[in-house]
């Protein structure tokens, strides 16, 4: 077997942001999660933030493995609780920048309540939600993001429930920064991550990503590369688009871009202001 | 009549040229880098790595412009590029 590393020249520039003892990762060939992590590592480097004051939290799922592969202070929490955990970190030590990197099932289904309330309170954190339209790790069950009529292992006749539109949910709950990209838009995703890392408050970046194992197979969409080609031909960039208009159907056009970028006092701002006011009386 | 693009004596515009590095053993053969390299520098090889995947091979490295797209799109941290030199554009 060819050794992984022969000379200094064989060290990937992102190796120091990754836990190399755990690489190769578990993701299938053609899965987009690895690409989202690469964009994240590139975004971290681009934002030039203090990595000793940055931590990453994931829940459970294929995407939930991300925290374990990134060389920051990493927390792998229970299913759905990544945002609750990250809220604790942020409130206990407001100097830290917390990133929650998890799946659509983890964040929007079982963790949906934490998601809307962290947005409402405007807790300072960046949520990167990899949306593969499915519960991938457990075998491809319907998620609250599964588009209508899509096949899944628990919807053999096609999904009958309307899905959540994640940017609309984030926007209406109070998030200050909302963007959506696909795993193909690596550069724009990197820039968005770098921008959102510097934004105080609750930021959400949705990354539409191929699950080449369950979602694409049961729906006969080919492999990961075929799904990337689909994104290439069927996405449209519309910055500032009203988040109401961002529904995703089965193999319909996907609108991407930065939709929300506004200012609101963060939870800690309001808390400190309130506290200093009451103390004076 | 001929218009000169640049004042005399000014350097010709330069394009970067990159050197591509591939860690074949990390690759899972997804083909993203091959498909999306803007300069079609890469191609899937027939070679197998120990996991049984086909890693990409470099076809014409002199065309690589060190854009870094392969590096960012690769889900496996298996390919990247470094700047070799800046080459003056031909007329
Ligand atoms: C409390 C609890 N309920 C259910 C599960 C089973 N489970 C593990 S991962 C997962 C879904 C993950 O889906 P998603 O967050 O979309 O991640 P993906 O695998 O698609 O990246 C479920 C239901 C669990 N681990 N814990
Ligand atoms: S099951 Fe799907 S989401 Fe999970 S690693 Fe494989 S391709 Fe990726
Ligand atoms: S750096 Fe750009 S041009 Fe060079 S091989 Fe990679 S994608 Fe192609
Ligand atoms: S993108 Fe990476 S994993 Fe995919 S074929 Fe290229 S080098 Fe291999
Ligand atoms: Mg999922």
């Amino acid at each position: 077997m060819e050794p992984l590393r022969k000379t200094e020249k064989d060290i990937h520039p992102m190796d120091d942001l990754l836990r190399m003892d755990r690489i190769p990762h578990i993701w299938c060939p053609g899965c987009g999660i690895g690409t989202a992590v690469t964009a994240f590592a590139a975004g971290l480097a681009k934002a030039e933030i203090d990595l000793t004051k940055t931590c990453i939290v994931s829940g459970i799922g294929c995407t939930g493995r991300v925290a374990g592969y990134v060389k920051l202070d990493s927390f792998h929490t229970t299913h759905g609780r990544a945002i609750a955990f990250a809220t604790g970190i942020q409130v206990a030590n407001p100097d830290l920048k917390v990133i929650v990197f998890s799946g659509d099932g983890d964040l929007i289904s079982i963790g949906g309540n934490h998601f809307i309330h962290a947005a409402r309170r405007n807790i300072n954190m960046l949520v990167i939600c990899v949306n593969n339209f499915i519960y991938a790790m457990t075998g491809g069950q319907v998620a609250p993001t599964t588009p209508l009529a899509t096949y899944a292992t628990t919807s053999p006749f096609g999904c009958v429930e309307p899905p959540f539109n994640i940017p609309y949910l984030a926007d209406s709950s109070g998030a200050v920064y909302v963007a959506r990209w696909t795993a193909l838009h690596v550069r724009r995703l990197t820039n968005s991550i770098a921008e959102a890392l510097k934004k105080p408050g609750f930021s959400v970046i949705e990354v539409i990503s191929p699950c080449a194992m369950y979602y694409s197979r049961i729906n006969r969409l080919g492999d990961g590369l075929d799904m990337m080609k689909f994104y290439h031909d069927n996405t449209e960039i519309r910055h500032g688009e009203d988040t109401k208009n961002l529904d995703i159907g089965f193999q319909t056009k996907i609108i991407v871009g930065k939709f929300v970028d506004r200012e609101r006092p963060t939870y800690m701002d309001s808390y400190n202001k309130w506290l200093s006011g009451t103390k004076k009386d | 009549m001929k218009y000169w693009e640049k004042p005399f004596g000014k350097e010709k515009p330069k394009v970067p040229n990159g050197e591509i590095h591939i860690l074949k053993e990390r690759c899972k053969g997804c083909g993203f880098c091959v498909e999306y390299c803007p300069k079609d520098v890469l191609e899937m090889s027939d070679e197998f790595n120990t996991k049984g995947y086909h890693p990409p091979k470099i076809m014409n490295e002199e065309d690589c412009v060190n854009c870094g797209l392969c590096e960012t799109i690769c889900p496996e941290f298996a390919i990247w590029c470094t700047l070799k030199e800046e080459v003056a554009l031909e007329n």
Side-chain angles (χ1 to χ4, degrees):
Chain A
M1 177 179 159
E2 185 194 335
L4 271 185
R5 274 187 199 160
K6 286 172 297 189
T7 65
E8 280 298 295
K9 251 183 130 185
D10 289 329
I11 297 178
H12 191 284
M14 280 165 196
D15 280 11
D16 31 318
L17 278 169
L18 302 167
R19 293 178 191 270
M20 290 318 300
D21 49 328
R22 308 187 110 223
I23 304 283
H25 53 60
I26 59 154
W27 299 312
C28 311
C31 174
I33 301 173
T35 302
V37 174
T38 316
F40 173 63
L44 271 181
K46 191 165 184 188
E48 294 182 331
I49 52 171
D50 182 355
L51 297 184
T52 62
K53 291 203 170 121
T54 309
C55 49
I56 181 165
V57 185
S58 294
I60 301 294
C62 295
T63 317
R65 309 294 292 223
V66 169
Y69 294 125
V70 179
K71 209 198 257 173
L72 295 171
D73 282 335
S74 309
F75 302 92
H76 193 193
T77 68
T78 48
H79 193 28
R81 309 302 164 216
I83 289 179
F85 198 92
T87 302
I89 296 176
Q90 172 49 219
V91 173
N93 188 348
D95 289 342
L96 297 178
K97 183 74 195 183
V98 194
I99 297 112
V100 170
F101 206 130
S102 215
D104 50 321
D106 189 70
L107 292 168
I108 308 301
S109 184
I110 184 169
N113 231 344
H114 301 303
F115 183 87
I116 57 175
H117 292 289
R120 173 180 63 81
R121 291 164 163 159
N122 199 20
I123 310 269
N124 183 17
M125 68 173 76
L126 164 60
V127 176
I128 300 175
C129 176
V130 171
N131 184 0
N132 47 20
F133 306 130
I134 213 150
Y135 291 168
M137 177 159 267
T138 42
Q141 294 84 358
V142 163
T145 42
T146 308
L148 272 174
T150 304
Y151 293 117
T153 46
T154 49
S155 66
F157 306 111
C159 179
V160 293
E161 311 168 14
F164 264 135
N165 160 349
I166 296 178
Y168 185 36
L169 182 68
D171 181 12
S172 42
S173 308
V176 291
Y177 184 101
V178 182
R180 173 196 277 161
W181 299 106
T182 75
L184 179 70
H185 295 85
V186 277
R187 290 214 192 286
R188 294 174 191 270
L189 175 60
T190 301
N191 293 341
S192 221
I193 289 171
E195 187 177 34
L197 279 170
K198 296 201 164 176
K199 175 112 190 157
F202 192 82
S203 304
V204 179
I205 301 177
E206 179 187 18
V207 188
I208 308 290
S209 166
C211 169
M213 184 53 64
Y214 295 109
Y215 185 80
S216 75
R217 278 223 298 219
I218 199 167
N219 288 294
R220 304 197 179 276
L221 302 175
D223 59 13
L225 184 57
D226 291 317
M227 291 186 74
M228 292 288 249
K229 289 178 182 164
F230 174 81
Y231 301 153
H232 181 270
D233 298 339
N234 297 281
T235 47
E236 189 182 320
I237 299 176
R238 275 198 227 154
H239 293 301
E241 178 66 48
D242 188 334
T243 54
K244 276 197 201 85
N245 305 333
L246 301 176
D247 283 339
I248 298 177
F250 178 64
Q251 294 296 91
T252 57
K253 184 161 77 183
I254 300 173
I255 296 171
V256 296
K258 177 170 88 173
F259 312 117
V260 175
D261 191 350
R262 63 183 163 211
E263 314 295 326
R264 271 178 69 214
T266 65
Y267 176 77
M268 286 317 289
D269 291 344
S270 313
Y271 181 85
N272 289 331
K273 200 172 158 199
W274 180 256
L275 213 64
S276 57
T278 19
K279 269 190 192 150
K280 262 183 225 139
D281 298 335
Chain B
M1 189 163 40
K2 182 161 184 184
Y3 289 97
W4 297 96
E5 230 184 18
K6 294 263 150 73
F8 293 107
K10 201 168 175 199
E11 277 182 62
K12 283 180 186 157
K14 286 183 171 172
V15 277
N17 178 222
E19 185 179 347
I20 304 152
H21 311 269
I22 304 172
L23 295 176
K24 289 182 193 167
E25 288 306 324
R26 278 193 199 170
C27 171
K28 289 186 192 159
C30 69
F32 293 176
C33 57
V34 172
E35 178 72 23
Y36 293 107
C37 166
K39 294 301 213 174
D40 292 326
V41 173
L42 305 162
E43 196 173 271
M44 292 318 277
S45 67
D46 296 329
E47 193 187 328
F48 288 100
N49 67 12
T50 11
K51 284 178 286 191
Y53 298 114
H54 296 295
K57 65 174 185 229
I58 302 163
M59 297 304 289
N60 34 350
E61 193 167 57
E62 63 288 354
D63 290 347
C64 169
V65 290
N66 192 36
C67 70
L69 191 101
C70 52
E71 178 179 320
T72 325
I73 209 162
C74 174
E76 306 293 331
F77 322 107
I79 184 169
W80 75 99
C81 202
T82 48
L83 183 67
K84 209 186 325 179
E85 55 184 336
E86 303 237 313
V87 193
L89 272 181
E90 297 292 312
N91 273 336

